[in-house]
Amino acid sequence: MTARLLDGRALAETIYAEVEAALRGRLAGGGTRPHLATLLVGDDPASATYVRMKQRNCERVGISTSDHRLPATATTAEVVELIRRLDADPEVSAILPQMPMPPQVDAEAVIEAVSPAKDVDGLHPYNAGRLALGAPTVKPCTPAGIIELLRANEVPMAGRRAVVVGRSNLVGKPAALLLLQEQATVTVCHSRTADLPAVCRQADVLVAAVGKTFYIQPDWVKQGAAVVDVGVSRLDGKVAGDVDPGVEEVAGWLTPNPGGVGPMTRAMLVRNTYDAEVRRR
């Protein structure tokens, strides 16, 4: 068999159209325009590219953006002070500190400096805690995008076995919590998991988020499973994921990489920015 592709690009376009229509109606009714403030510390080319893409995605639907930069030598105190100024600005709906931060900057302090209402990534402890409780909250963009992709393609989750490989605060843990909300039975795997291939073979839904090129092998995958490839690495100058290409012959559904989770992450950022403005008004 050949897996059906979980096309993130096509679904992202649908989400952009929905947000654009909602914003057009909001502005016609006298509502306010959302504004995303991005913050980049240093001059890492990949991070700068990600920031530009996020800004363009917002602007295409009518959300305004502003770009804030600090040198690579900036201290934690300098980054936090800038965030506090943006947080106090009534024109700013949402704040996005681009990660990773330089090593001298305390990323946790940066995340906590953003107020929960303007935390567009859903990483603030308040929002992360509400997610753990199953309460309404800002959902982290990548995990939220994964769930949207599975739902849109009618991948069964309720009552099914889901395995998440990776336990990061950014993807692994929140993805597991969102899968629990979909009534899946969830296992979170990591570097100490015994017999990882055997655990993966039990999964009806397998989420790979470890950042190791072609780590998930075809014989690790249950026949007909839905496989979500979150990893991003480079191989011979091209983007590669965590999932070996041979998995396509075993899985029932598979995200392309690129073109699967990445576009959905950016679309969720746009939706979260719009929702942040609606909530605070």
Side-chain angles (χ1 to χ4, degrees):
M1 69 179 293
T2 300
R4 285 168 281 179
L5 291 184
L6 299 170
D7 188 348
R9 289 194 176 106
L11 183 55
E13 289 300 319
T14 299
I15 292 168
Y16 291 135
E18 290 172 352
V19 175
E20 184 176 18
L23 177 53
R24 192 162 53 242
R26 177 179 176 79
L27 295 176
T32 50
R33 186 181 301 278
H35 181 92
L36 174 69
T38 60
L39 169 59
L40 179 61
V41 182
D43 52 6
D44 177 70
S47 292
T49 297
Y50 293 146
V51 167
R52 283 195 299 272
M53 291 173 70
K54 292 168 183 177
Q55 290 169 339
R56 284 199 297 266
N57 291 147
C58 282
E59 289 162 0
R60 64 173 288 188
V61 303
I63 295 173
S64 63
T65 67
S66 56
D67 187 43
H68 303 268
R69 304 287 178 107
L70 288 172
T73 54
T75 64
T76 299
E78 289 170 332
V79 179
V80 168
E81 174 57 28
L82 175 53
I83 287 176
R84 286 179 176 156
R85 291 203 306 271
L86 294 171
D87 203 58
D89 186 343
E91 299 303 315
V92 172
S93 313
I95 302 169
L96 177 69
Q98 180 64 37
M99 299 292 171
M101 291 282 160
Q104 79 279 4
V105 176
D106 183 347
E108 185 174 336
V110 170
I111 290 168
E112 292 187 13
V114 180
S115 70
K118 295 189 179 184
D119 168 31
V120 76
D121 261 336
L123 297 178
H124 190 282
Y126 176 85
N127 290 326
R130 288 183 63 83
L131 180 63
L133 293 171
T137 189
V138 181
K139 296 182 176 74
C141 299
T142 298
I146 291 169
I147 298 299
E148 288 282 344
L149 202 48
L150 294 173
R151 282 179 183 164
N153 288 274
E154 299 181 341
V155 175
M157 290 180 275
R160 304 304 173 95
R161 182 72 180 270
V163 173
V164 180
V165 185
R167 54 179 170 179
S168 70
N169 292 331
L170 186 63
V171 179
K173 291 176 185 175
L177 291 168
L178 289 176
L179 284 163
L180 279 173
Q181 290 183 16
E182 297 297 321
Q183 311 304 324
T185 300
V186 183
T187 300
V188 179
C189 299
H190 46 78
S191 59
R192 300 291 181 89
T193 299
D195 199 358
L196 178 60
V199 178
C200 290
R201 277 192 289 270
Q202 298 175 30
D204 300 299
V205 177
L206 178 60
V207 178
V210 291
K212 294 183 178 179
T213 304
F214 301 159
Y215 186 65
I216 304 297
Q217 293 297 305
D219 63 353
W220 295 22
V221 176
K222 181 179 181 179
Q223 193 79 29
V227 181
V228 179
D229 187 356
V230 182
V232 177
S233 53
R234 306 291 294 188
L235 182 66
D236 299 329
K238 297 181 179 179
V239 173
D242 289 350
V243 177
D244 186 273
V247 167
E248 184 177 3
E249 302 304 318
V250 182
W253 296 267
L254 176 65
T255 55
N257 197 340
V261 174
M264 290 302 299
T265 298
R266 296 191 296 275
M268 291 299 103
L269 173 71
V270 170
R271 179 187 283 176
N272 281 357
T273 302
Y274 174 81
D275 289 345
E277 178 64 14
V278 172
R279 278 195 309 272
R280 77 190 189 108
R281 298 296 183 182

